[in-house]
Each structure stands twice: as C-alpha cells, then as structure tokens.
Amino acid sequence: MNQQRGGTLVGFIIGLVVGLAVALGAAIYVTKMPIPFLTKGQTRSADSDAAEAEKNKDWDPNAPLYGKKGAKPGDKVDESKADAKADTKPEPKQDAAAKVDPTSADPLGDLAKVKSAEPKPVYTDPFIYFVQAGAYRSNDEAETQRAKTVMLGLDAKISERDQGGRTVYRVRVGPMDKVEAERVRAKLEAAHIDSAMVRVQR
C-alpha cells in the first residue's frame, strides 16, 4: 500500500512537470509566430504621412448627402450667376418654405419659427371635457381609483357630488379639449379602466 501512495505522488509530480513543459512550449510557439492582420516592421515615412494629410485635407464625410451637384450647403455661389438665375425665375407664391433663407445654418429651425409665427385659425369648442374614471360611494374607493390613474401618468382629481340624497365621489381627469380627452380615454381603456367622456358647457 505504501508503494501505491508513492506511485500516485510520483505520477502527480510527473504529470505536473509535463503539463508545465507543454504550456511553456505553447507560449514560446505563440510569441514567435507572426500576428495576423498586423504588419510588423512596416514603418511610415514623413513623406507618406504628408501625402495622406494632403489627400484628406478637403475630404468631407457628408459628400454623398449633397446630391448629384456636389455643392456643400455652406458653399458660396458666384453672385453674378445667382442674380442671373433670380431674374429668370418667376415669382412663386410665398409660403412658409419660401420665407426661409436657404443659406441659413439652421433651415429647419427657421422653418419652425416661420410656421409658429403664422396666425392659426381659431377654433373654439363651446364645451370643455373631462374623462371620468369612476364614481364611488366611499372616498377610499375613489382614492384607490385615483391612484391607478396617477400610476398611468394622468392627473386625476376627486370631486364630491350629491345624487339622490347620497354623496358620490367622482374620479375625473381634466378639464381639457376634446382631442386630449379622447387620448386620455383611450389610455384608460388600454389599462382596462372603464371611463366615460363628460362634456360641460363653457
């Protein structure tokens, strides 16, 4: 039995030494091999760096976005050509897009300013709207329903009303316009909360 213990220990030590030798051989082999995708020994000269810098001096990564003309939005056009083109074109109808300066640094922002400055037709609805998410006999039930609507991101309020000698606690969102009321009602319906749109004369 003593011989078996000694044989096991010797076998373990021999296995450890052989494993270390294999690992050392693999490490030497890997460090001596050339690394793929890496060109060792290729150095760049100052001339090649200067040529690369000259080539990339006027490079524009957005060039494909300018279209077939190849003109950058910030390029200046020869004024005599611009005047000649302006004389030949008929005067178009003035709309919001025509009021925006095409050489502006922010044409979308300018268009938004022009659109917001235009007078909008005034539509006055004779009603204001509420979305009622429930009517309850106790304030606790109404608070529970109000909490559910608040969790949906809606600002619900509880109002008391006497109906037939009893106090009813109504959970309502509003006042708002009709479009907003329909949006709120759809949101409540999506959350499986029964609701009704209530309109009140202004």
Side-chain angles (χ1 to χ4, degrees):
M1 201 140 175
N2 287 339
Q3 280 186 333
Q4 280 188 337
R5 265 194 206 156
T8 303
L9 184 59
V10 170
F12 179 73
I13 292 173
I14 291 173
L16 186 61
V17 170
V18 169
L20 287 174
V22 169
L24 181 63
I28 292 172
Y29 177 75
V30 168
T31 57
K32 297 294 182 190
M33 293 296 296
I35 301 172
F37 307 116
L38 182 67
T39 53
K40 287 186 176 180
Q42 181 183 13
T43 57
R44 296 178 58 98
S45 66
D47 294 335
S48 64
D49 285 341
E52 185 76 19
E54 182 65 31
K55 186 174 109 178
N56 290 334
K57 184 171 74 171
D58 293 326
W59 179 69
D60 185 8
N62 295 324
L65 300 176
Y66 300 140
K68 294 180 181 177
K69 296 177 190 173
K72 297 178 187 175
D75 286 348
K76 294 183 180 176
V77 180
D78 188 13
E79 290 180 12
S80 60
K81 291 180 183 176
D83 291 338
K85 287 181 182 177
D87 292 341
T88 58
K89 290 185 180 177
E91 186 66 30
K93 245 183 2 178
Q94 289 290 328
D95 62 344
K99 294 177 186 176
V100 176
D101 183 16
T103 61
S104 172
D106 185 18
L108 289 178
D110 295 343
L111 180 63
K113 287 177 187 173
V114 169
K115 286 279 191 184
S116 64
E118 290 178 354
K120 296 178 182 172
V122 179
Y123 171 73
T124 56
D125 192 357
F127 299 102
I128 58 172
Y129 295 87
F130 293 88
V131 177
Q132 184 165 313
Y136 301 94
R137 293 181 185 167
S138 73
N139 191 23
D140 292 338
E141 291 175 325
E143 282 292 337
T144 302
Q145 186 69 0
R146 180 182 165 277
K148 288 179 185 176
T149 57
V150 168
M151 292 295 285
L152 293 173
L154 302 172
D155 185 28
K157 297 179 180 88
I158 297 175
S159 61
E160 295 180 28
R161 171 128 189 198
D162 286 331
Q163 280 186 335
R166 294 183 179 171
T167 303
V168 176
Y169 298 93
R170 302 180 299 189
V171 180
R172 288 186 170 184
V173 179
M176 62 192 86
D177 63 351
K178 186 174 183 177
V179 174
E180 181 70 15
E182 289 171 350
R183 187 190 66 78
V184 168
R185 184 166 184 218
K187 191 172 188 178
L188 289 171
E189 293 293 328
H192 305 292
I193 297 175
D194 291 330
S195 61
M197 202 158 52
V198 179
R199 74 178 184 183
V200 178
Q201 187 79 33
R202 285 186 188 261

